[in-house]
Amino acid sequence: MALLGRSPESREKSRAFVQAVYDNGGRADTKIVRQATGLTRGELKYRYEMLEDRGLIRVEYDFDIAATGESPVKVAILTELAEREIRKGLLQGGQYQPESDLSLDEVAESLQETQEFISDNMLPQIRLIGELESRISELEQSK
């Protein structure tokens, strides 16, 4: 699994996010991360969710640093996994490749589940789009 993202741009944005949290002692609120990375609000929201889903950060809401009457401040905290991966070179970029804890059987099972999901959920939609495109072409030609 690509811990930081699939594309080089995505990996760099995630790496910058994690770097900002790391540079702030392993705990940083949205304002600190935004100032350090220049990420937009949407990019920050996505990174919070993605990095939390991948186990690299834990998200907390801090009422103590929020202004009176304001919503709590979102805070990213590095997990033990993130700290281990940082020691292995996560923040160095380049050719970093996380080690996989999955067995071959687990990878095969995950692949099978993905294939089933695509077959059950995506392929019918793709077929429907094809049918609709054909119908549109027919209607355009009959004008």
Side-chain angles (χ1 to χ4, degrees):
M1 170 176 58
L3 279 177
L4 293 179
R6 294 182 186 206
S7 73
E9 181 182 5
S10 179
R11 285 191 297 272
E12 180 53 32
K13 288 178 181 181
S14 296
R15 189 207 58 74
F17 185 110
V18 173
Q19 182 76 56
V21 178
Y22 178 79
D23 289 347
N24 201 59
R27 178 184 176 93
D29 64 45
T30 301
K31 182 178 179 182
I32 291 168
V33 175
R34 189 169 190 187
Q35 287 173 342
T37 63
L39 295 172
T40 67
R41 287 186 179 155
E43 289 170 330
L44 283 170
K45 182 179 185 308
Y46 173 76
R47 299 282 160 232
Y48 268 106
E49 292 172 3
M50 187 265 290
L51 294 170
E52 184 176 35
D53 287 347
R54 294 182 181 179
L56 292 172
I57 65 169
R58 187 175 79 250
V59 177
E60 290 184 358
Y61 294 88
D62 192 332
F63 290 87
D64 296 331
I65 60 176
T68 305
E70 295 288 329
S71 299
V73 175
K74 196 176 207 178
V75 178
I77 302 162
L78 294 179
T79 63
E80 288 182 26
L81 171 63
E83 291 171 5
R84 277 195 314 271
E85 297 302 319
I86 288 168
R87 285 191 297 274
K88 293 179 194 174
L90 180 71
L91 297 178
Q92 304 308 310
Q95 298 301 312
Y96 164 77
Q97 292 292 324
E99 294 177 15
S100 175
D101 293 334
L102 298 176
S103 70
L104 186 56
D105 289 339
E106 290 170 319
V107 171
E109 182 180 337
S110 177
L111 179 59
Q112 179 65 34
E113 289 171 1
T114 301
Q115 288 173 329
E116 288 173 6
F117 174 82
I118 290 169
S119 293
D120 294 345
N121 298 292
M122 304 298 288
L123 289 179
Q125 299 301 319
I126 292 169
R127 285 187 194 107
L128 177 60
I129 290 169
E131 292 170 11
L132 291 172
E133 286 174 339
S134 295
R135 183 66 181 134
I136 290 169
S137 291
E138 291 172 9
L139 291 171
E140 287 176 339
Q141 290 174 2
S142 68
K143 285 184 180 180

Short mmCIF file of all heavy atoms in Angstrom, two decimals, residues 10 16 18 51 57 63 68-69 72 83 92 116 124 142:
data_model
loop_
_atom_site.label_atom_id
_atom_site.label_comp_id
_atom_site.label_asym_id
_atom_site.label_seq_id
_atom_site.Cartn_x
_atom_site.Cartn_y
_atom_site.Cartn_z
N SER A 10 0.60 13.69 -4.95
CA SER A 10 -0.12 13.30 -3.74
C SER A 10 0.84 12.91 -2.63
O SER A 10 0.67 13.31 -1.47
CB SER A 10 -1.07 12.14 -4.05
OG SER A 10 -1.76 11.75 -2.89
N ALA A 16 4.61 16.44 3.09
CA ALA A 16 4.71 17.77 3.69
C ALA A 16 3.82 17.88 4.92
O ALA A 16 4.21 18.49 5.93
CB ALA A 16 4.32 18.83 2.65
N VAL A 18 2.84 15.38 6.95
CA VAL A 18 3.46 14.60 8.03
C VAL A 18 4.70 15.32 8.54
O VAL A 18 4.94 15.36 9.76
CB VAL A 18 3.79 13.16 7.56
CG1 VAL A 18 4.59 12.40 8.62
CG2 VAL A 18 2.50 12.40 7.22
N LEU A 51 -4.59 10.20 5.80
CA LEU A 51 -3.50 9.82 6.70
C LEU A 51 -4.04 9.12 7.95
O LEU A 51 -3.38 8.22 8.48
CB LEU A 51 -2.65 11.04 7.06
CG LEU A 51 -1.88 11.65 5.88
CD1 LEU A 51 -1.26 12.99 6.28
CD2 LEU A 51 -0.82 10.68 5.36
N ILE A 57 -1.71 9.16 11.30
CA ILE A 57 -2.05 10.18 12.30
C ILE A 57 -3.32 9.76 13.04
O ILE A 57 -4.11 8.94 12.57
CB ILE A 57 -2.27 11.58 11.68
CG1 ILE A 57 -3.49 11.59 10.75
CG2 ILE A 57 -1.01 12.09 11.01
CD1 ILE A 57 -3.94 12.99 10.31
N PHE A 63 -10.42 21.71 22.54
CA PHE A 63 -11.29 22.81 22.94
C PHE A 63 -10.49 23.91 23.64
O PHE A 63 -10.89 25.06 23.66
CB PHE A 63 -12.40 22.31 23.87
CG PHE A 63 -13.42 21.46 23.18
CD1 PHE A 63 -13.23 20.09 23.05
CD2 PHE A 63 -14.57 22.01 22.64
CE1 PHE A 63 -14.18 19.30 22.40
CE2 PHE A 63 -15.51 21.24 22.00
CZ PHE A 63 -15.31 19.87 21.87
N THR A 68 -12.88 31.45 22.33
CA THR A 68 -14.16 31.36 23.04
C THR A 68 -15.31 31.40 22.04
O THR A 68 -15.37 32.28 21.18
CB THR A 68 -14.31 32.51 24.05
OG1 THR A 68 -13.18 32.48 24.92
CG2 THR A 68 -15.59 32.36 24.85
N GLY A 69 -16.20 30.43 22.14
CA GLY A 69 -17.35 30.37 21.26
C GLY A 69 -17.07 29.73 19.90
O GLY A 69 -17.96 29.58 19.09
N PRO A 72 -13.97 23.49 18.21
CA PRO A 72 -12.68 22.99 18.66
C PRO A 72 -11.69 22.93 17.49
O PRO A 72 -12.09 22.79 16.34
CB PRO A 72 -12.99 21.59 19.19
CG PRO A 72 -14.27 21.20 18.55
CD PRO A 72 -15.02 22.48 18.32
N GLU A 83 5.79 7.08 13.30
CA GLU A 83 7.13 7.23 13.85
C GLU A 83 8.06 6.14 13.35
O GLU A 83 9.22 6.41 13.01
CB GLU A 83 7.06 7.27 15.37
CG GLU A 83 6.39 8.54 15.88
CD GLU A 83 6.09 8.53 17.37
OE1 GLU A 83 6.50 7.57 18.07
OE2 GLU A 83 5.46 9.48 17.83
N GLN A 92 11.94 11.20 3.80
CA GLN A 92 13.07 11.44 2.90
C GLN A 92 12.68 11.42 1.44
O GLN A 92 13.43 11.82 0.58
CB GLN A 92 14.18 10.40 3.14
CG GLN A 92 14.66 10.34 4.57
CD GLN A 92 15.05 11.69 5.13
OE1 GLN A 92 15.80 12.41 4.51
NE2 GLN A 92 14.53 12.03 6.30
N GLU A 116 -14.21 -8.40 -6.70
CA GLU A 116 -15.65 -8.62 -6.49
C GLU A 116 -16.38 -7.28 -6.38
O GLU A 116 -17.48 -7.13 -6.92
CB GLU A 116 -15.87 -9.46 -5.24
CG GLU A 116 -15.47 -10.91 -5.42
CD GLU A 116 -15.53 -11.71 -4.13
OE1 GLU A 116 -16.00 -11.18 -3.08
OE2 GLU A 116 -15.11 -12.88 -4.16
N PRO A 124 -21.54 -2.82 -13.64
CA PRO A 124 -22.91 -2.48 -14.07
C PRO A 124 -23.05 -1.00 -14.44
O PRO A 124 -23.75 -0.67 -15.40
CB PRO A 124 -23.77 -2.83 -12.85
CG PRO A 124 -22.97 -3.86 -12.11
CD PRO A 124 -21.54 -3.48 -12.33
N SER A 142 -30.76 10.64 -35.36
CA SER A 142 -32.15 10.68 -35.86
C SER A 142 -32.69 12.10 -35.99
O SER A 142 -33.80 12.29 -36.44
CB SER A 142 -33.05 9.85 -34.94
OG SER A 142 -33.16 10.47 -33.67
#
